[in-house]
């Protein structure tokens, strides 16, 4: 276990080149009167794996949804891969091309087959020819280990398979950054492992990812940084070992005791 | 203490022999015969409620159900038999001696049928068939109506049958070339060629198409680039419009037939088809506009929808027939059929818009987000993700609205047009065929024709629903 993580780290040190993928500076967001994100400052470099955790209502989903403009931030600057995130539709479109998102409830398109779900974005957004898009789709479906399901429809797959398709669909755009919004929270326990394994493999291949999750085992294995959010603020962030073994803030200690207890 | 409780419960469990390990699989059997197939359906839906005599309460209920079922069956049979008797068994079918109305008279009235006879008078319908189907359309030009019907039926069938190729192309021509063909065929065309209009439209079209091509080749940047994307498509519309002007302007030497001579099923089909085909895309645009974030689009859509929904169709037609001439300059005669078409289409679009908006609202927000997250533009996500799901979801509502407008076309009698019902009503007033059953026969035929079309649409929609639900 220790040996493989060292080998993985060695491989990663060469791939981490310091390019800033995400830069959030003094970001604030309100839902009406409610101040949901308070003075968020975050920098993510290429190849980094961030896990965001916290109690519900802490704003962690809102934070990552701001990164691809599914939510609009009212104050502060967000930059994704050098592109400024503002009201300019061109910027938003460009950012969305470079950012892949995996949702808690999969959000697969039920009227299209698995293969069509994955081919859609390359064909219509990147204007890839159909045959090439199909190759890319099959490649990523193989990578998430369900190539045989390509002609089925989402309704015919299990939850774990659907989520893996969702991951493949996001990967087909070959994004710079992957966002995961509680990807395993809606899954039956026996299917969580297959999705987490897929995400670990993705991380090992050098994908920059920000993952909102309650799966602390995953965080320990994969994260470079664990960020704890509460009431809209980033309360504490640290490397996983330090974070779990030596939490500094009282709120962090309380949260960890609640979720690591059972 | 907790361990005491647990061990007490565990030993109690052991005493009851809770532990169980299956030794061999239970056999997989077919269901008992009485609950499957036609016999099963009959049993469960009709006889089960009548045969349960297990207790006094159940017995009373069974007797009541038996009585009720017998009563309903009796009423049903009497009605169906009554209809069959009127329409087929007691009906008069032929008029060999050309007696006209006398062939359907009883002895009391001066005819040959027994007193108390009551049945359909089919010779009357046969004599009036042309009027019911075509109105006052000149007989020698009926081939034009028939060829229009035939072409329309072929194109429609082509689009509907899945195995045939080029369905999209056929659908496109049904929506573009066919209406022009039908207009020229039915009216006779030759409205006069304005070289100026044709010229302007052609030049504008060519200019826009070229602009679009230049934009695609990458020679334009900045805001004009967005315009160039739409310009190509708009250019083709202008070219099409110019071609349409030419087609209806050129004189093909067909007899010009005024729309006032059209009638019967022809008017019903023309009004209904136009209203249905135009209101669907217009309704989609209005529904999207109403849900849009842009204030102008939203306000205009809401005004349009609420205005046209707030006025009854009969009022719309009445206003169209009375008010439009007030706004026209002297001598300009706005064709009454065209007035009716515009009125019905705009009114129907408002209803269609709300049905579709219901579908758009029913789509899970996650679908919109999933489409956004992979980078699809607004129109791409609408076209590829949202509308296919929304339209499928409200297909029953859409078909309901379509069937409704098909029947609402009868209201065009307000503007002096004779649709199927209006034409039949005028044949009922014909004294040469005056019999006690004249009205009943006439209305029966109208009902049958409407039923055939509406039921056909209903069944096709069920087929579509089944086909579209395969993936869910």
């Amino acid at each position: 276990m220790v040996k493989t993580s060292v080998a993985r780290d060695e491989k990663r040190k060469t791939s981490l080149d310091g390019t800033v993928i995400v830069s959030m500076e003094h970001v604030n967001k309100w839902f009406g009167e409610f101040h949901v994100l308070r003075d968020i400052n975050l920098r993510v470099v290429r190849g980094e794996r961030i896990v965001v955790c916290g109690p519900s209502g802490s704003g962690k989903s809102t934070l990552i949804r701001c990164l691809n403009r599914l939510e609009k931030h009212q104050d502060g600057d967000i930059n994704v891969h050098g592109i400024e995130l503002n009201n300019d539709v061109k910027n938003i479109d460009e950012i969305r091309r470079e950012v892949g998102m995996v949702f808690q409830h999969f959000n697969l398109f039920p009227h299209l087959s698995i293969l069509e779900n994955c081919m859609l974005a390359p064909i219509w957004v990147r204007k890839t020819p159909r045959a090439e898009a199909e190759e890319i789709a099959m490649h990523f479906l193989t990578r998430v280990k369900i190539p045989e399901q390509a002609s089925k429809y989402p309704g015919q797959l299990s939850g774990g398979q659907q989520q893996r398709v969702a991951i493949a669909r996001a990967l087909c755009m070959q994004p710079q950054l992957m966002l995961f919004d509680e990807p395993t929270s809606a899954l039956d326990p026996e299917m969580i492992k297959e999705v987490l394994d897929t995400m670990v493999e993705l991380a090992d291949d050098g994908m920059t990812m920000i993952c909102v999750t309650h799966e602390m085992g995953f965080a320990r294995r994969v994260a470079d940084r664990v960020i704890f959010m509460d009431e809209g603020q980033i309360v504490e962030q640290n490397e996983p070992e330090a974070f779990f073994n030596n939490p500094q803030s009282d709120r962090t200690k309380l949260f960890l005791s609640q979720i690591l207890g059972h | 203490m907790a361990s005491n409780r647990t061990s007490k419960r565990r030993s109690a469990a052991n005493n009851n022999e809770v532990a169980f390990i299956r030794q061999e699989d239970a056999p997989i059997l077919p269901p008992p015969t009485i609950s499957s197939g036609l016999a099963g359906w009959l049993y469960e839906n009709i006889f089960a409620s009548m045969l349960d005599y297990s207790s006094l309460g159940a017995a009373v209920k069974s007797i009541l159900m038996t009585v009720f079922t017998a009563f309903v069956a009796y009423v049903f049979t009497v009605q169906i038999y009554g209809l069959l008797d009127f329409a087929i068994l007691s009906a008069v079918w032929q008029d060999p001696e050309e007696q006209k109305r006398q062939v359907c008279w009883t002895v009391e009235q001066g005819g040959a049928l027994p007193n108390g006879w009551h049945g359909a008078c089919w010779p009357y319908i046969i004599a009036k068939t042309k009027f019911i189907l075509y109105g006052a359309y000149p007989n020698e030009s009926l081939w034009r109506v028939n060829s229009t019907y035939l072409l329309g039926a072929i194109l429609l069938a082509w689009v509907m049958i899945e195995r045939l190729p080029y369905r999209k192309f056929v659908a496109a021509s049904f929506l573009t070339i066919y209406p022009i063909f039908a207009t020229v065929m039915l009216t006779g065309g030759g409205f006069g060629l304005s070289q100026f209009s044709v010229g302007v439209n052609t030049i504008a079209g060519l200019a826009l198409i070229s602009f679009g091509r230049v934009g695609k080749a990458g020679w334009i940047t900045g805001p004009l680039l967005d315009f160039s994307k739409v310009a190509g498509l708009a250019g083709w519309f202008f070219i099409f419009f110019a071609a349409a002007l030419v087609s209806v302007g050129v004189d093909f030497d067909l007899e010009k037939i005024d729309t006032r001579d059209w009638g019967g099923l022809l008017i019903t089909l023309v009004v209904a088809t136009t209203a249905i085909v135009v209101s669907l895309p217009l309704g989609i645009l209005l529904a999207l506009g109403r849900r849009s974030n842009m204030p102008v689009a939203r306000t205009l859509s809401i005004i349009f929808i609420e205005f046209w929904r707030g006025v009854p169709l009969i009022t719309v037609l009445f206003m169209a027939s009375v008010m439009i001439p007030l706004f026209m300059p002297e001598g300009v005669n706005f064709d009454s059929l065209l007035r009716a078409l515009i009125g019905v289409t705009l009114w129907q679009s408002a209803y269609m818009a709300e049905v579709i908006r219901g579908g758009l609202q029913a789509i899970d927000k996650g679908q919109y987000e999933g489409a956004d997250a992979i980078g699809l533009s607004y129109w791409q996500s609408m076209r590829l993700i949202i509308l296919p799901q929304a339209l499928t979801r409200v297909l029953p509502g859409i078909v309901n609205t379509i069937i409704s407008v098909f029947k609402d076309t009868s209201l065009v009698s307000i503007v002096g047009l004779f649709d199927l019902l209006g034409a039949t009503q005028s044949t009922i007033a014909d004294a040469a065929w005056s019999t006690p059953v004249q009205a009943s026969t006439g209305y029966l035929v109208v009902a049958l024709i409407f039923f055939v079309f509406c039921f056909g649409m209903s069944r096709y929609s069920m087929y579509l629903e089944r086909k579209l639900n395969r993936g869910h």
Side-chain angles (χ1 to χ4, degrees), chain A residues 67-68 80 95-101 175-177 179, chain B residues 373:
Chain A
L67 289 174
N68 65 356
V80 178
I95 287 176
R96 284 180 176 165
R97 262 176 257 150
E98 301 307 326
V99 174
M101 183 145 185
Q176 301 290 327
L177 170 69
L179 302 174

Side-chain angles (χ1 to χ4, degrees), chain B residues 127-183:
Chain B
K128 296 292 179 185
T129 301
K130 183 255 169 186
F131 195 75
I132 292 174
L133 295 182
Y134 303 100
Y137 210 89
N139 286 12
E140 61 275 11
S141 300
L142 285 182
W143 65 273
R144 285 156 53 177
V145 182
N146 292 332
S147 58
T148 311
Y149 283 168
L150 187 63
L151 184 58
I154 292 175
L155 290 176
L156 211 54
W158 194 315
V159 172
M160 294 199 304
I161 298 177
E162 241 181 278
R163 266 169 287 183
L164 296 174
Y166 304 117
R167 279 163 71 215
K168 282 203 178 133
F169 174 72
V170 171
S173 19
F174 181 75
L175 298 172
T176 52
I177 304 175
Y178 179 69
I180 300 181
F181 172 81
T183 310

Side-chain angles (χ1 to χ4, degrees), chain A residues 138-153:
Chain A
M138 282 311 294
H139 166 79
F140 284 109
L141 283 175
T142 315
R143 209 164 135 193
V144 299
K145 299 201 178 56
I146 39 172
E148 69 280 0
Q149 311 283 3
S151 53
K152 288 204 183 150
Y153 284 83

Side-chain angles (χ1 to χ4, degrees), chain B residues 115-442:
Chain B
N115 287 332
W117 169 84
H118 189 72
C121 189
W122 292 115
Y124 147 65
I125 295 294
I126 295 169
K128 296 292 179 185
T129 301
K130 183 255 169 186
F131 195 75
I132 292 174
L133 295 182
Y134 303 100
Y137 210 89
N139 286 12
E140 61 275 11
S141 300
L142 285 182
W143 65 273
R144 285 156 53 177
V145 182
N146 292 332
S147 58
T148 311
Y149 283 168
L150 187 63
L151 184 58
I154 292 175
L155 290 176
L156 211 54
W158 194 315
V159 172
M160 294 199 304
I161 298 177
E162 241 181 278
R163 266 169 287 183
L164 296 174
Y166 304 117
R167 279 163 71 215
K168 282 203 178 133
F169 174 72
V170 171
S173 19
F174 181 75
L175 298 172
T176 52
I177 304 175
Y178 179 69
I180 300 181
F181 172 81
T183 310
V184 173
M185 265 291 172
L186 296 172
T187 60
F191 288 108
L193 212 49
S194 162
Q195 291 184 330
F196 176 69
S197 325
V198 174
V200 162
N201 278 295
T202 316
I203 293 175
L206 289 173
L208 286 169
I209 293 175
S210 326
F211 191 66
R213 286 278 161 81
V214 168
K216 238 191 224 174
W219 292 354
I220 307 178
T221 52
L224 278 180
L225 184 60
D226 293 326
F227 177 67
S228 75
K229 286 183 194 156
V230 191
L233 191 63
W236 280 107
F237 270 113
F238 276 99
I239 297 285
F240 171 73
F241 192 63
L245 284 176
V246 170
S247 312
V248 299
V250 166
D251 197 331
F252 293 104
D253 207 19
L254 292 169
E255 185 193 345
K256 314 282 175 289
I257 298 172
D258 195 289
T259 57
R260 277 178 292 233
D261 290 330
W262 303 9
L265 189 59
L266 174 61
I267 289 274
T268 300
L269 287 178
V270 166
V271 177
T273 314
T274 311
I276 291 166
V277 165
V278 177
S279 71
L280 198 50
L282 192 51
I284 292 174
L285 287 175
L286 287 167
L288 290 176
R290 189 162 180 165
R291 280 173 60 86
S292 141
N293 288 326
M294 298 191 294
V296 174
R298 197 168 60 235
T299 315
L300 286 177
S301 301
I302 292 178
I303 291 175
F304 183 98
I305 293 172
E306 294 304 331
F307 170 73
W308 289 102
R309 271 205 316 178
V311 201
L313 182 55
I314 198 167
T315 316
V316 167
L317 291 169
F318 202 65
M319 287 201 300
S321 81
V322 167
M323 289 175 63
I324 287 185
L326 293 177
F327 295 117
M328 290 282 131
E330 279 294 327
V332 173
N333 186 21
F334 206 81
D335 187 76
S336 58
L337 178 61
L338 196 53
R339 283 181 230 162
L341 282 178
I342 294 175
V344 177
T345 304
L346 293 177
W347 178 86
Q348 172 75 339
S349 308
Y351 277 81
M352 196 62 87
E354 286 297 277
V355 172
I356 293 171
R357 187 169 71 92
L360 291 172
Q361 277 176 202
I363 301 297
D364 186 39
K365 192 163 157 243
Q367 291 292 303
Y368 292 92
E369 288 181 359
D372 285 342
I374 58 175
L376 293 175
S377 75
Y378 175 78
W379 288 108
Q380 283 173 332
S381 59
M382 283 302 149
R383 188 165 53 97
L384 299 166
I385 310 295
I386 307 297
L387 281 175
Q389 294 184 61
L391 293 177
T392 309
R393 205 168 276 234
V394 289
L395 196 59
I398 291 176
V399 173
N400 205 39
T401 317
I402 286 176
I403 291 177
S404 192
V405 81
F406 189 86
K407 296 180 289 185
D408 282 335
T409 56
S410 295
L411 293 173
V412 296
S413 58
I414 275 289
V415 294
L417 292 166
F418 287 94
D419 78 305
L420 179 61
L421 182 62
T424 314
Q425 276 180 317
S426 69
T427 67
I428 290 172
D430 184 0
W433 282 98
S434 172
T435 71
V437 299
Q438 186 185 25
S440 312
T441 314

